[in-house]
Amino acid sequence: MTSPLLSARDLGVDFGLPGGGTASAVDGVNLDVAPGEIVALAGESGCGKTTLARTLLGLERATRGSVSFGGEPLRYSTKALKAYRRSVQLILQDPTGALNPRHTIYDAVAEGLRIHGIHDDEAGRVAGALSRAGLRPAEKFFLSYPHELSGGQRQRAVIAGALVLDPSIIIADEPVASLDASVRGEILALLLRLRDEMDLGALVITHDLGLAWSIADRIAIMYLGRIVEQGPVEQVLTDPRHPYTRALVSVLPDSPLPEPIVLSGELPDAARIPGGCRFRPRCQEFASGRASAVAGRCESEDLAVLPADASRHDSACHLHPIERRAAA
Amino acid sequence: MSTQAQSLSPRAVTWARRRRAMARAWRDYRTQRSGMVGLVLLGLIVVLAVAAPLLIDASALSVTQATGGRMEPPSAEFWLGTDETGRSVLALTLWGTRLSLVIGLTATVAAILVGTLVGITSGHVGGWYGWIALRVSDWFMVLPSLVVAIALLAVLGRSVATTVTVIAIVSWSGTARLVRAQTLTVQARPYLERARALGAGHWHQMTRHILPNVLPLVLASATLLVPSAILMESSLAWLGLGDPNVVSWGSILNRASNNGAVSAHAWWYLLPPGLAILVVVAAFMMCGRALEAVFNPRLRGEAP
């Protein structure tokens, strides 16, 4: 395994609330993305996925912990951030909103070049990025406006806008969630091809485990600001260990688990994270009494933050080490 | 060879898009009858103001060269009668158009520039600067504008330039609030998030993304600011705070009331400048309301 390019260590992001309290959107995350690796970050809405992505991009400042790129910790001076943003690019969920309706596709793709003052062979670079993103012949799209393109073509234009700066990592926030099912496959295939051709690393944020299965090498499952399980995607999805992951996997069409598990309750408020294991109030194992052996620890003991070990399959659950010992 | 054609054509396409947008706005505008009436009136007034020196010689404004008697009623020679020094009221009113329009327009341009600058920067930059800018514009909004204008003119002295400055000072805050609100709306759009992730600085975001989105609204609000600037100028001149060396509608009214036109029943001295103010203000209001309906999406669809 190559050494990680982008990594987060003990990352925490707090937001001040109007009442004076704080909400921890991200509360202790270790995560690595290596070149040529696609990592999926999955979890339900409101679990802090997008905040984590924004923090990795330097759009949000970490309250605790650090983000580092190429071994160097991220510095937040204007100049350092600008240089960083050449290497790490963002792809947003909704390509319609991500393109200024007043700008042509050429302008939208060239925007990154203009921001970074790259003026040589602008048209050539734009054409190259468009064709790598699958918009060919590129010249045909130069003068189109976003509203003249289909949803899939728009997302390709957004991807071209990211590729034009030759980034080494792409962070994609629900890149296909707003697209038609028929187009999703094409965009995912494009991401895979870019990974192979350009050795591009990617962090793909999704709430769709099926999508993670089809494109990711590794997956991290996030719950209430913390990663509760991570590992190679086929291991995590065929042998889920954390009760939360099990619940998510159990409702997939071809789930390895016998029956669907429906979680009770709602995702708790990030301002009031339950004590002990943060998943306990909704945990089916705790509720059914299967976790009775460790119930005391579930109630009082917070779990350690999972290390960012790329090859290991790990989960943050008091129950798990005991079950493994029993199995062995 | 192809590079040159490509680097040229995006600009051509941008202009084609602008032309299309203008044509669409014009089509929407044309459907509003009051807007068209206002536009025709405005056109007429501007033509009259520009052509004033051709129609009536500037010497008609000179007190020493006046040919009429004291406050003569309308006659064949003086269609709208004369003032207390024997000058033609028609000539005064016609020449007054020029000053009223110039002051109204320049004060509006100044107020709009300041308001747009403060609005965009306070909405975009935010933080303590945005907070202070917001409070300052609030403060200017609640100040009684006429009282402040009178006080400022008393301090700065009476001239066309100070009148323009004072009117701009008391009227920029509304534009600032409007632009700030629109900036905050645009600010939340995903393409600004994308621009930030690409590394765009404040300048890039403000000029490339925010400004083009607020300009149409600014244009509509500017058209509505002109009549209030003209009214303000007339009020100040009527109170005797105008530039004494030039003729404006307000200063004609000021002289009329100071010289007993009311008790002399010299309606021809009072009515023309008053009606002129009314017509110009109404014309600008009609145009402004129509523009607002065209450019402000929140009003679109609700307008009859």
Side-chain angles (χ1 to χ4, degrees), chain B residues 19-148:
Chain B
R19 268 199 303 277
R20 267 207 307 277
M22 297 272 275
R24 195 168 51 237
W26 172 236
R27 207 172 51 239
D28 289 347
Y29 186 91
R30 258 190 331 203
T31 60
Q32 318 223 14
R33 188 184 301 170
S34 66
M36 288 309 286
V37 171
L39 196 63
V40 169
L41 275 177
L42 218 54
L44 256 153
I45 293 163
V46 169
V47 167
L48 280 180
V50 171
L54 303 175
L55 299 173
I56 296 172
D57 194 76
S59 64
L61 300 179
S62 159
V63 185
T64 49
Q65 294 170 40
T67 50
R70 184 184 152 79
M71 285 199 213
E72 275 178 28
S75 61
E77 193 189 347
F78 301 105
W79 294 356
L80 292 176
T82 60
D83 72 351
E84 79 283 352
T85 56
R87 295 179 297 179
S88 158
V89 174
L90 178 65
L92 291 175
T93 309
L94 201 59
W95 276 83
T97 314
R98 294 164 70 88
L99 192 78
S100 291
L101 282 185
V102 164
I103 289 189
L105 290 172
T106 38
T108 302
V109 167
I112 286 287
L113 281 181
V114 174
T116 308
L117 193 72
V118 172
I120 289 191
T121 50
S122 79
H124 178 73
V125 178
W128 61 267
Y129 166 76
W131 190 85
I132 289 176
L134 184 68
R135 294 302 145 219
V136 170
S137 69
D138 275 350
W139 190 67
F140 271 97
M141 229 166 184
V142 296
L143 283 179
S145 49
L146 196 60
V147 177
V148 174

Side-chain angles (χ1 to χ4, degrees), chain A residues 43-128:
Chain A
E44 63 198 305
S45 307
C47 73
K49 295 176 301 208
T50 301
T51 307
L52 176 56
R54 288 176 50 92
T55 312
L56 289 176
L57 280 158
L59 291 170
E60 205 74 65
R61 262 216 218 194
T63 319
R64 297 177 298 279
S66 65
V67 175
S68 54
F69 179 74
E72 297 276 315
L74 181 57
R75 281 169 299 129
Y76 290 92
S77 71
T78 312
K79 208 175 155 194
L81 270 182
K82 194 167 172 178
Y84 176 62
R85 286 185 178 140
R86 268 191 79 165
S87 323
V88 180
Q89 286 294 322
L90 170 70
I91 293 171
L92 287 166
Q93 169 177 357
D94 172 20
T96 312
L99 296 169
N100 188 335
R102 293 165 186 271
H103 290 180
T104 58
I105 297 301
Y106 181 91
D107 284 333
V109 175
E111 191 171 5
L113 295 175
R114 290 174 187 164
I115 287 168
H116 290 279
I118 304 165
H119 296 301
D120 60 306
D121 192 23
E122 188 179 272
R125 286 170 190 265
V126 171

Side-chain angles (χ1 to χ4, degrees), chain A:
Chain A
M1 200 87 212
T2 41
S3 61
L5 191 55
L6 179 65
S7 50
R9 286 291 173 272
D10 298 316
L11 201 65
V13 183
D14 292 348
F15 291 110
L17 295 178
T22 53
S24 295
V26 176
D27 185 26
V29 163
N30 286 321
L31 190 70
D32 282 346
V33 183
E37 181 187 43
I38 296 184
V39 179
L41 182 66
E44 63 198 305
S45 307
C47 73
K49 295 176 301 208
T50 301
T51 307
L52 176 56
R54 288 176 50 92
T55 312
L56 289 176
L57 280 158
L59 291 170
E60 205 74 65
R61 262 216 218 194
T63 319
R64 297 177 298 279
S66 65
V67 175
S68 54
F69 179 74
E72 297 276 315
L74 181 57
R75 281 169 299 129
Y76 290 92
S77 71
T78 312
K79 208 175 155 194
L81 270 182
K82 194 167 172 178
Y84 176 62
R85 286 185 178 140
R86 268 191 79 165
S87 323
V88 180
Q89 286 294 322
L90 170 70
I91 293 171
L92 287 166
Q93 169 177 357
D94 172 20
T96 312
L99 296 169
N100 188 335
R102 293 165 186 271
H103 290 180
T104 58
I105 297 301
Y106 181 91
D107 284 333
V109 175
E111 191 171 5
L113 295 175
R114 290 174 187 164
I115 287 168
H116 290 279
I118 304 165
H119 296 301
D120 60 306
D121 192 23
E122 188 179 272
R125 286 170 190 265
V126 171
L130 281 170
S131 45
R132 267 184 290 166
L135 290 175
R136 294 192 202 91
E139 282 76 8
K140 207 184 109 206
F141 294 93
F142 272 12
L143 306 180
S144 313
Y145 281 94
H147 68 90
E148 297 166 349
L149 304 186
S150 70
Q153 285 174 327
R154 268 177 236 160
Q155 191 61 298
R156 285 174 192 273
V158 171
I159 293 174
L163 293 180
V164 79
L165 289 172
D166 289 318
S168 39
I169 287 201
I170 279 188
I171 294 179
D173 189 355
E174 307 268 11
V176 295
S178 66
L179 300 178
D180 284 346
S182 57
V183 188
R184 287 183 183 194
E186 293 176 23
I187 297 292
L188 295 180
L190 170 64
L191 285 178
L192 286 171
R193 212 187 66 229
L194 292 173
R195 192 243 337 232
D196 296 339
E197 286 174 4
M198 301 170 61
D199 206 28
L200 201 62
L203 179 70
V204 178
I205 296 171
T206 180
H207 58 260
D208 178 355
L209 292 180
L211 185 155
W213 173 262
S214 44
I215 68 164
D217 303 305
R218 281 196 303 125
I219 187 168
I221 310 283
M222 199 163 176
Y223 181 79
L224 205 56
R226 200 171 276 187
I227 288 174
V228 294
E229 180 159 5
Q230 68 174 345
V233 71
E234 56 278 3
Q235 284 181 34
V236 172
L237 294 185
T238 52
D239 175 27
R241 292 174 186 170
H242 194 279
Y244 180 60
T245 320
R246 291 175 70 86
L248 294 182
V249 170
S250 72
V251 292
L252 292 180
D254 45 0
S255 154
L257 301 174
E259 57 200 50
I261 303 162
V262 177
L263 288 177
S264 60
E266 303 248 315
L267 187 68
D269 192 340
R272 284 189 298 275
I273 293 177
C277 169
R278 59 190 59 213
F279 185 57
R280 176 182 46 85
R282 297 173 75 191
C283 181
Q284 69 273 20
E285 308 290 352
F286 185 80
S288 69
R290 272 193 60 212
S292 54
V294 287
R297 293 174 67 200
C298 288
E299 274 170 356
S300 60
E301 198 179 310
D302 197 5
L303 286 135
V305 175
L306 287 184
D309 190 333
S311 52
R312 256 184 39 212
H313 177 188
D314 244 329
S315 73
C317 177
H318 288 302
L319 194 57
H320 177 245
I322 294 177
E323 283 195 333
R324 191 154 55 173
R325 233 171 287 140

